[in-house]
Amino acid sequence: MTRMNAYDTPSTAGSSPVESTPQPVRHSLPPPGSPDLWLLRLSDTTDAGSDAAPDAATLDASERERAASFARPVDRVRFTAAHRTLRAVLGSYLGVPPAEIRYARETCPCCGGPHGRPALLGFPGDLHFSLSHRGDLVLIGVAGEPIGVDVELVPDIAGSGELALMLHPDEQREARALDPVRRPGAVARLWTRKEAYLKGLGTGLGRDPALDYIGLGAPDGPRPRVDWHFRDVPVDRGYVASVATRGPLTAPAARPNRVTGRFPRQR
């Protein structure tokens, strides 16, 4: 599994595990059907557990403003580390320093407003990406086609029941039929598929999650449903994650590359 230093740039996908190096490496755009996934454990970063302001030098003004809006220091650290890592990953594909990346938003399919899928300003439109962070984990997806990723904590039985109420009616029936012990993990896994799909669409939860059937079975099972393709992503114990792409997924598995968390502070 490829590893990268979250401050530097990734090594070539699919290579043997290597130590991070300070030299930027230009990363090739993944082929159709085989998105690149990157996973960071925030507790591995040097910022973890610190009340000091995290290094946000590579973030833009709007990102720094949003980070500062969090009341809890741990949330500021998590947000900053997640977005700093996203910039490092994208910079390796684009061949530019992370601080030079500029974002935009596509038109929302729901309302026509400027808050659809995230996009890159000043670069070709064939690089698509998605970011999700929950608890201790950050998941990033990069593809040559629209993509969405989501990572979630597995809820307790009560929490899974609340999630199930927001699903498609057929999905709710599937959830009720499960053994209560299995239900939280299965519902959480389905929820990550659903959120990844909605992020890929560019609507997020602006589109009612109950409208589209995705299902609790195999991610690309036989039942007709939305014209998107799914893989469950193996992540740390206590979490579930998924990736969704608009084009068919040809890769047999969706295993993320690990990002190491050594974020050198600027002096």
Side-chain angles (χ1 to χ4, degrees):
M1 181 179 294
T2 304
R3 292 177 182 269
M4 67 169 283
N5 181 302
Y7 185 81
D8 300 326
T9 52
S11 307
T12 302
S15 65
S16 301
V18 294
E19 288 299 318
S20 310
T21 60
Q23 291 79 26
V25 176
R26 183 66 181 268
H27 205 81
S28 299
L29 188 67
S34 185
D36 285 346
L37 301 174
W38 301 94
L39 184 70
L40 171 69
R41 184 186 295 118
L42 291 168
S43 57
D44 289 343
T45 69
T46 56
D47 292 329
S50 172
D51 288 336
D55 181 4
T58 60
L59 305 190
D60 64 23
S62 64
E63 289 169 313
R64 290 194 294 270
E65 182 179 357
R66 187 173 173 192
S69 70
F70 290 104
R72 298 194 309 163
V74 66
D75 294 327
R76 292 195 293 272
V77 168
R78 287 172 173 170
F79 177 91
T80 300
H83 286 261
R84 191 169 49 186
T85 303
L86 175 63
R87 285 177 170 272
V89 168
L90 293 177
S92 75
Y93 290 91
L94 300 170
V96 300
E100 293 184 10
I101 293 170
R102 296 291 178 266
Y103 299 120
R105 285 281 183 175
E106 296 180 3
T107 300
C108 173
C110 284
C111 66
H115 43 257
R117 276 193 304 259
L120 295 162
L121 282 176
F123 296 98
D126 56 354
L127 189 152
H128 299 264
F129 63 95
S130 181
L131 167 70
S132 178
H133 54 97
R134 180 71 64 193
D136 195 38
L137 296 185
V138 176
L139 181 64
I140 296 167
V142 178
E145 58 211 335
I147 182 174
V149 299
D150 191 56
V151 61
E152 300 287 345
L153 284 158
V154 176
D156 57 20
I157 292 177
S160 68
E162 294 174 3
L163 275 183
L165 291 174
M166 294 186 280
L167 300 175
H168 186 279
D170 288 346
E171 294 167 340
Q172 293 186 39
R173 283 189 285 271
E174 292 177 13
R176 287 195 296 269
L178 291 174
D179 183 287
V181 175
R182 292 184 50 222
R183 191 177 299 144
V187 169
R189 186 170 294 106
L190 171 56
W191 186 258
T192 64
R193 295 176 188 174
K194 185 90 63 169
E195 279 226 50
Y197 161 65
L198 294 174
K199 287 180 180 180
L201 283 182
T203 65
L205 293 175
R207 179 177 175 84
D208 186 350
L211 290 176
D212 303 301
Y213 175 85
I214 292 173
L216 286 164
D220 280 324
R223 176 166 178 171
R225 56 185 173 197
V226 297
D227 190 24
W228 280 65
H229 300 263
F230 304 86
R231 288 284 188 275
D232 296 330
V233 180
V235 289
D236 295 15
R237 184 181 296 275
Y239 292 83
V240 289
S242 297
V243 56
T245 62
R246 193 162 64 187
L249 282 163
T250 58
R255 296 193 176 278
N257 300 297
R258 282 281 180 179
V259 180
T260 63
R262 299 183 299 275
F263 287 103
R265 295 183 179 278
Q266 294 193 345
R267 299 186 182 277

